[in-house]
Amino acid sequence: MSLQPMQFWRIIETMNVTAPLPSPIAPTTQDEDGITRDIAFLVYPGFQIQDLSGPLAAFEVASMSGDNCRYRCHVVSLAGGGIYSSAGLEVMTRKIRAKPYDTLLVMGGLTLTDPYAQPQVSGQLSRAATRGGRRIASVCTGAFLLAAAGLLDGRRATTHWKYAARLQRLFPKVKVEGERIFTKDQGIWTSAGVTSGIDLALAMIEEDFGSEVARYTAQMLVVYHRRPGNQSQFSAIAAMEPESDRIRQVLTYMREHLTEELSTEHLAGIACLSPRQFGRTFLAETGETPAKAVERLRVEIARLKVERSTEPIEIIARTAGFADPERMRRAFIRVTGHPPQSIRRMAGHDYQA
């Protein structure tokens, strides 16, 4: 007999990940079997289901490693009860408690491009930051809620590449690094789109219980262990859609003239702006500086050739606009987290440069 959604989530509610806990509860407890940490996943109507399921699975699997690693996972909401995701799947939740969790993660959702659409959630995050929890984090566009709560002011943060520029425009005090998979800054973590929430969870697991537990978790989830936080989101710059025609024209010019010198002064002339005004406008509309955008575009073009051809690295560097292979290598490491030779090996082309 098949289970209805409500029946299914009631069964899940009785499992270990949301089992009733003794009160009072410390965010981290120590017993003879090792350390147990309480991890809460804050959801709201319209949240993205994979933002929840990916990190939740990572913490659950880590607890099965047998290395005195334990997480108690709690799916919570403002009032408790059933909460519908953007896909229409109802998830049973508990009411978020006043006492701190070791780690509190807020999920992303399509509604969060309006950062003030969930004022009560942002208020709850503001209060949580004062209660002594060790970490507060967001997955995908959950960063908008952290920003609306003031928790990202002066901190580095990331979000889904499509919304990085909007996050920067709406919250200029946030140091948006739209190319990163995840960031960590003074106890506040943020991750990029959807599956990068797993990367964030793996990094937390490694911080808590070491690389072996994180590696075991990645293997069980059949995911890469582990993409570094500074690895870029896929084709972020190439897919950006700035608001003004002049910045769109500059991006088009960049793509068509990658082998030429693309200084800020030169690009400002294309936009008919002063260099200072151009730099501010470009950053506000794309979430990137002009220099970073040029580097990202060159790396994206070069990466395709590295993965799909047998051309020597020196030739690829020159045709992508890099002055020499060493500069391309450093750019690859900044953007992807790997040098070109490693990218080629991972793509199945283990040729000598």
Side-chain angles (χ1 to χ4, degrees):
M1 181 179 67
S2 63
L3 293 174
Q4 296 301 312
M6 180 67 77
Q7 293 174 306
F8 174 77
W9 285 106
R10 281 175 177 164
I11 290 174
I12 292 296
E13 182 92 321
T14 68
M15 295 174 65
N16 185 52
V17 293
T18 56
L21 302 171
S23 182
I25 304 165
T28 302
T29 58
Q30 177 82 50
D31 56 33
E32 60 182 12
D33 295 322
I35 295 173
T36 300
R37 301 184 185 277
D38 286 293
I39 311 293
F41 302 83
L42 179 58
V43 301
Y44 49 85
F47 76 95
Q48 165 60 244
I49 191 67
Q50 194 166 359
D51 290 357
L52 169 64
S53 62
L56 178 61
F59 288 112
E60 178 193 11
V61 170
S63 295
M64 301 175 183
S65 67
D67 292 328
N68 294 329
C69 164
R70 285 189 184 178
Y71 290 106
R72 280 185 297 230
C73 296
H74 315 260
V75 181
V76 301
S77 62
L78 295 180
I83 302 293
Y84 282 95
S85 72
S86 58
L89 180 65
E90 185 179 23
V91 175
M92 296 305 296
T93 70
R94 293 179 174 180
K95 182 178 180 180
I96 189 169
R97 71 190 189 204
K99 293 183 179 180
Y101 300 93
D102 176 83
T103 302
L104 175 63
L105 297 94
V106 61
M107 306 300 101
L110 296 176
T111 59
L112 293 186
T113 51
D114 176 0
Y116 301 105
Q118 302 283 344
Q120 292 179 314
V121 177
S122 294
Q124 184 64 244
L125 291 168
S126 296
R127 291 188 291 275
T130 67
R131 291 172 180 163
R134 191 164 59 99
R135 293 181 298 218
I136 295 179
S138 64
V139 180
C140 197
T141 52
F144 283 83
L145 283 176
L146 295 186
L151 300 183
L152 298 183
D153 288 356
R155 288 187 168 95
R156 296 179 297 109
T158 192
T159 187
H160 192 289
W161 62 263
K162 185 174 182 180
Y163 303 109
R166 181 174 177 81
L167 181 65
Q168 186 68 80
R169 284 197 304 272
L170 293 175
F171 300 99
K173 293 182 181 179
V174 181
K175 300 174 183 177
V176 177
E177 298 183 356
E179 76 280 6
R180 294 179 66 94
I181 288 178
F182 65 84
T183 64
K184 171 189 174 184
D185 194 336
Q186 302 176 56
I188 305 293
W189 298 56
T190 61
S191 76
V194 195
T195 59
S196 60
I198 297 176
D199 296 287
L200 178 142
L202 288 172
M204 289 181 171
I205 291 165
E206 183 168 324
E207 179 179 83
D208 293 344
F209 296 105
S211 60
E212 289 304 313
V213 175
R215 185 175 296 108
Y216 166 85
T217 303
Q219 290 171 345
M220 293 302 293
L221 293 176
V222 197
V223 297
Y224 183 81
H225 175 262
R226 72 175 164 77
R227 292 188 296 173
N230 63 354
Q231 184 168 329
S232 70
Q233 301 185 51
F234 177 74
S235 195
I237 290 292
M240 279 187 174
E241 299 179 357
E243 292 183 350
S244 65
D245 288 339
R246 63 179 66 197
I247 300 301
R248 280 196 292 270
Q249 290 169 0
V250 168
L251 281 174
T252 299
Y253 184 88
M254 285 179 178
R255 297 185 189 106
E256 294 175 351
H257 298 81
L258 286 176
T259 59
E260 302 175 14
E261 181 180 354
L262 296 173
S263 65
T264 297
E265 291 74 16
H266 180 64
L267 296 173
I270 301 297
C272 299
L273 296 170
S274 70
R276 185 175 180 180
Q277 185 180 10
F278 169 69
R280 288 199 303 263
T281 303
F282 192 94
L283 177 62
E285 294 196 22
T286 69
E288 300 276 0
T289 65
K292 279 190 174 182
V294 170
E295 181 178 78
R296 293 280 311 284
L297 283 170
R298 285 173 172 159
V299 168
E300 288 181 0
I301 294 298
R303 180 171 183 166
L304 290 175
K305 294 183 178 181
V306 166
E307 291 177 332
R308 300 177 185 178
S309 78
T310 62
E311 281 188 274
I313 297 297
E314 291 86 351
I315 293 177
I316 293 175
R318 186 166 58 251
T319 58
F322 291 101
D324 54 65
E326 176 57 24
R327 292 191 185 184
M328 185 174 83
R329 187 188 72 84
R330 293 198 298 265
F332 262 67
I333 291 173
R334 282 192 294 270
V335 174
T336 72
H338 302 280
Q341 291 84 353
S342 295
I343 296 289
R344 175 162 280 177
R345 283 195 294 271
M346 286 187 286
H349 300 289
D350 194 4
Y351 297 94
Q352 295 296 320

